[in-house]
Amino acid sequence: MLFAAIRGPTLTQRACSACFSSTTRSYAFIAPTSSFRRGTRSPLAQQLIVTRARLIDPPESAILIQPSLSSSSITHPLGEIPVFDTIAAFREWRKEITRQNKTVGFVPTMGALHDGHLGLVQTARQECDAVVVSIFVNPAQFAPHEDLDQYPRTFDTDYASLVATKACSAILLPKVSEMYPAGITLDRTQQRGAFVEVVGLSHQMEGIPRPHFFRGVATIVTKLFNIVQPDRAYFGQKDAQQCAVLRAMIRDLLLPIKMRAVPTSRETDGLAMSSRNRYLTPEMRSVATLLYRAISAAKENIVEHGAYEREEILKPAFAIIEQVAKDVKAKGLPFEVRLDYLSLVDVETLSELQQLGKTQAAVLSGAVYVGTTRLIDNVLINTEEL
């Protein structure tokens, strides 16, 4: 078990006095494995190990946890929102919410929260009595060559952000070992156990470069739905295909959940908010709006100029991306801009359209690489919500 060297006045250190305030409470220490530099056990960590009454197995991202106030929950040092790192503990809390006849909204995340995530939480709170946020970096939606190990894990800042919303009722922070009892490997051919796949909506668009992705998403969301038992679930429109896949899954598995696809949150210049935006250098960030500008130009071609043939609709989008790629190369910048795909699909079937009907609801989407960072985005045609 690896413990991080802890420096500076972090939330972890500020929790120390609380952790020794009582000898009758149980103590939990979860070692940071990614948010901090890996190293030897710090004196603080050693003290906690000696003093604690129990040790929680470290999940993918983890922090020091304040003494638990009951056997069914653990609480972060700020003491504002209960944090549950076991399914059994969370279910005890959920039973109490059921007894109080409260509705539950659910926002599943992989952490590294930004204003888009927080907007989902606030929307959920407007519509539900209690809001649960899960933070789980799901191995099943990463391929062996993708960035699972590098994916940002920032629980301290995530927690502070959720507290600031005054909208989150509980945080579910499950362990990989509980979510995948049979174990999980990134090699799909070697995976064992039960998985969920939504046939017909998972192979196109994002499913072409990432054929494993939606199987992993559908599986983990099904598991989380089984744990949380929400009345409503909230997802961002930026992940349009994911919304379509999950809506179909909810319908076909007869789940008693109402799903909301909330409009994409954007920076002031139009860039869709994403946890991966933090990978962009300032030079990369200066050109990162190219995809939004491209698909917006394609939409304008429909709305303002009456384009309905696929080639005609997408022509200005291809031109913008090609021009930005040329400009980056001409300036000698230390990265490349590369188009992955542009797509125009029916909003329900996700079938690629060669012609767009005058009132046909569609999704105009794409993906580009800015350096090694892959950005996705979409705009809706003839509809307000997925």
Side-chain angles (χ1 to χ4, degrees):
M1 186 174 183
L2 295 174
F3 290 80
I6 303 172
R7 296 186 175 88
T10 63
L11 289 173
T12 302
Q13 288 175 314
R14 292 200 298 272
C16 206
S17 60
C19 288
F20 300 113
S21 63
S22 170
T23 58
T24 62
R25 294 177 177 177
S26 60
Y27 295 83
F29 180 77
I30 304 179
T33 58
S34 299
S35 298
F36 301 93
R37 180 177 62 83
R38 289 184 177 182
T40 58
R41 295 178 180 176
S42 67
L44 171 61
Q46 291 173 335
Q47 284 180 304
L48 287 164
I49 295 168
V50 170
T51 308
R52 59 122 176 95
R54 62 187 178 92
L55 187 66
I56 299 174
D57 295 333
E60 287 297 302
S61 62
I63 57 161
L64 174 65
I65 302 296
Q66 182 181 327
S68 59
L69 302 180
S70 72
S71 61
S72 64
S73 70
I74 53 178
T75 309
H76 190 274
L78 292 180
E80 302 266 356
I81 305 173
V83 179
F84 300 92
D85 76 323
T86 69
I87 295 171
F90 176 84
R91 282 178 169 159
E92 287 301 311
W93 177 86
R94 184 65 180 88
K95 287 177 184 177
E96 180 58 30
I97 297 300
T98 300
R99 281 193 287 267
Q100 296 175 20
N101 200 30
K102 291 182 176 181
T103 57
V104 173
F106 178 42
V107 181
T109 81
M110 295 209 302
L113 303 183
H114 50 69
D115 285 349
H117 294 114
L118 303 180
L120 295 178
V121 175
Q122 290 165 331
T123 299
R125 186 63 186 85
Q126 291 168 8
E127 300 178 358
C128 302
D129 299 319
V131 178
V132 176
V133 175
S134 66
I135 297 177
F136 182 72
V137 182
N138 177 31
Q141 64 195 65
F142 289 81
H145 66 280
E146 292 180 333
D147 60 348
L148 174 61
D149 288 341
Q150 285 74 43
Y151 195 88
R153 294 166 169 85
T154 56
F155 186 86
D156 273 11
T157 55
D158 291 347
Y159 185 90
S161 296
L162 290 171
V163 169
T165 68
K166 302 184 184 301
C168 180
S169 308
I171 298 171
L172 176 61
L173 193 73
K175 297 184 282 290
V176 173
S177 58
E178 274 207 293
M179 298 307 290
Y180 292 97
I184 187 69
T185 173
L186 302 191
D187 183 350
R188 180 172 172 174
T189 64
Q190 299 300 313
Q191 290 175 353
R192 299 291 182 269
F195 292 84
V196 179
E197 187 167 4
V198 179
V199 177
L201 297 176
S202 301
H203 67 280
Q204 59 272 73
M205 300 163 66
E206 286 293 294
I208 295 173
R210 307 184 73 192
H212 58 284
F213 180 72
F214 291 109
R215 178 175 178 263
V217 169
T219 298
I220 196 62
V221 173
T222 300
K223 290 170 182 273
L224 290 168
F225 281 171
N226 282 335
I227 298 166
V228 176
Q229 298 288 302
D231 297 284
R232 294 171 178 248
Y234 298 80
F235 299 88
Q237 180 189 300
K238 180 178 74 71
D239 301 299
Q241 186 174 6
Q242 173 175 281
C243 290
V245 167
L246 295 177
R247 194 179 294 281
M249 183 190 79
I250 290 170
R251 177 198 66 204
D252 293 350
L253 296 184
L254 310 178
L255 301 178
I257 299 168
K258 181 175 181 180
M259 182 184 137
R260 284 284 314 277
V262 179
T264 301
S265 296
R266 299 186 180 278
E267 305 290 353
T268 55
D269 61 358
L271 179 66
M273 292 184 180
S274 170
S275 299
R276 287 190 169 93
N277 289 351
R278 67 188 64 203
Y279 297 156
L280 299 170
T281 66
E283 288 176 322
M284 293 175 181
R285 177 63 182 82
S286 69
V287 302
T289 59
L290 82 162
L291 180 57
Y292 181 57
R293 290 192 289 116
I295 58 178
S296 295
K299 180 174 181 177
E300 183 180 359
N301 211 19
I302 298 169
V303 176
E304 301 295 333
H305 305 293
Y308 67 94
E309 296 282 353
R310 178 188 183 86
E311 184 175 350
E312 184 182 4
I313 291 169
L314 295 179
K315 186 176 181 179
F318 281 113
I320 288 172
I321 294 170
E322 182 179 357
Q323 186 59 54
V324 173
K326 287 180 179 179
D327 291 346
V328 166
K329 186 174 182 180
K331 292 176 182 178
L333 297 178
F335 61 91
E336 292 183 344
V337 168
R338 175 168 59 88
L339 175 65
D340 191 348
Y341 73 87
L342 288 173
S343 176
L344 177 66
V345 301
D346 180 86
V347 75
E348 292 187 5
T349 67
L350 300 188
S351 299
E352 292 288 343
L353 299 175
Q354 298 306 313
Q355 291 185 337
L356 179 68
K358 182 170 288 189
T359 60
Q360 185 172 13
V363 181
L364 211 168
S365 66
V368 297
Y369 284 92
V370 179
T372 59
T373 301
R374 187 172 184 271
L375 304 176
I376 65 172
D377 205 348
N378 67 81
V379 291
L380 302 182
I381 311 296
N382 295 327
T383 184
E384 295 296 323
E385 185 174 328
L386 288 170

